[in-house]
Amino acid sequence: MSLDTRPPRQTPVRRVATPRERDEERGLPTRSLLSALVLACVALMVVDASSGAASPVDPVRRFAGEVLGPVQAGASNLLDPILGIPGWFRTNDGLRGDLADAQRRIADLEAANHQDSYLANRADELGRMCALVDDTGYAVAPARVIGYGSAQSFSNTVTIDAGTDAGLHADMTVVNPDGLVGRVIQVSSHTATVLLVIDASSTVGGRVGDTMENGMVSGHGGLADDQPLELQLIDHTIVPQKGQPVVTWGSEGGAPYVSGVPIGEVSKVFQDLRLGTYRTVLEPYVDFTSLDDVGVVVPTGGAGGAGVIEPGACS
């Protein structure tokens, strides 16, 4: 039996590093250095605050501004567009919403303006209709033109939105604020057909307003301005003068035309040398291409139904 005479193995004791050594290994400044930096900063602050305008720190401050200012500005110019992208999207969406709101408000204002213009025109038409009623002394049942006759009918007619329920019947005079429109030729319960005085089959007794000379006014069958009315006076030796007004002569019993309703004025006079007569052209007061509000002459005293405009009712 052998004995191990080697000395026992000793485990080396590992030395524990001090905090300062650990900081040095990590590359961190020592506590004494940090303390010195803090004390230096405090001293600079005290010196800067106590020196007033002439601070010994000013050269350092200017140097830092001259060196770091351009760097900071360049970095800001580079990063601001990138950092502003989210805000740009938010701003763009907001602008789109504001633009849509503005467009809606503009559309609403335009619609209101159009409505106001329409209502103003209707009010003006009603006022002038009242003036015509007062001037002629006739009561009228108000109506609106809701359609023109088709070209295939070979006649110039319009349809109005009043009929027998409003007291209308055939052979009633139809006017608008400007003058004579035509006469009723057909009636249903809620509508009526009106033959316009410009139709080729229309003949109206006319009278020159300031001379009281009588004649017949005939249509030429067209709505165009170059197809006016024609006046043939009973006395062929009378020469009408340009600008003279012509009104309705009037039928017996006021049907189909009552008297005194303006028709138009003399625009041209031509002499027929072969027949020794004169052809007188009338410019109608009514614009037949823009008919809207009209009135049908009815008996006074409410016999024409509800809504009748009586003389003096609008004053």
Side-chain angles (χ1 to χ4, degrees), residues 62-313:
R62 285 195 299 271
F63 176 77
E66 292 174 357
V67 175
L68 299 179
V71 177
Q72 183 181 7
S76 178
N77 292 334
L78 179 63
L79 295 177
D80 280 352
I82 299 174
L83 297 176
I85 290 177
W88 181 85
F89 281 113
R90 289 192 295 270
T91 303
N92 191 43
D93 291 340
L95 290 175
R96 290 180 183 274
D98 293 341
L99 178 61
D101 292 339
Q103 289 175 338
R104 283 192 294 270
R105 288 195 296 270
I106 291 173
D108 292 341
L109 290 174
E110 289 179 346
N113 182 54
H114 295 162
Q115 183 70 12
D116 290 343
S117 300
Y118 172 75
L119 294 176
N121 289 333
R122 292 296 306 277
D124 178 66
E125 289 280 304
L126 179 60
R128 294 195 299 122
M129 184 71 76
C130 289
L132 180 68
V133 167
D134 291 338
D135 290 342
T136 60
Y138 299 118
V140 299
R144 293 191 63 200
V145 173
I146 57 176
Y148 280 80
S150 64
Q152 289 76 13
S153 64
F154 301 102
S155 63
N156 293 111
T157 62
V158 293
T159 301
I160 60 176
D161 62 353
T164 55
D165 289 350
L168 307 189
H169 55 77
D171 288 336
M172 280 185 157
T173 307
V174 181
V175 299
N176 82 347
D178 295 317
L180 183 65
V181 173
R183 62 185 176 91
V184 177
I185 58 174
Q186 192 174 10
V187 186
S188 67
S189 58
H190 300 292
T191 63
T193 302
V194 178
L195 181 70
L196 303 180
V197 293
I198 57 174
D199 187 77
S201 65
S202 172
T203 302
V204 184
R207 173 176 291 162
V208 179
D210 53 358
T211 64
M212 303 302 288
E213 291 292 334
N214 294 326
M216 305 304 293
V217 177
S218 302
H220 281 249
L223 296 170
D225 292 338
D226 60 350
Q227 295 176 313
L229 302 172
E230 185 172 329
L231 171 66
Q232 185 71 44
L233 293 179
I234 295 176
D235 187 346
H236 295 169
T237 63
I238 301 295
V239 181
Q241 302 300 312
K242 183 178 180 179
Q244 284 185 305
V246 177
V247 299
T248 53
W249 180 359
S251 308
E252 183 178 357
Y257 297 106
V258 296
S259 63
V261 177
I263 301 174
E265 66 178 35
V266 177
S267 61
K268 296 177 183 178
V269 178
F270 300 96
Q271 183 179 13
D272 189 333
L273 297 177
R274 183 174 61 85
L275 297 178
T277 60
Y278 296 94
R279 174 175 173 262
T280 303
V281 177
L282 296 184
E283 186 69 28
Y285 291 128
V286 173
D287 183 358
F288 293 95
T289 62
S290 61
L291 291 173
D292 187 15
D293 290 291
V294 297
V296 182
V297 178
V298 296
T300 57
V308 172
I309 303 176
E310 299 272 356

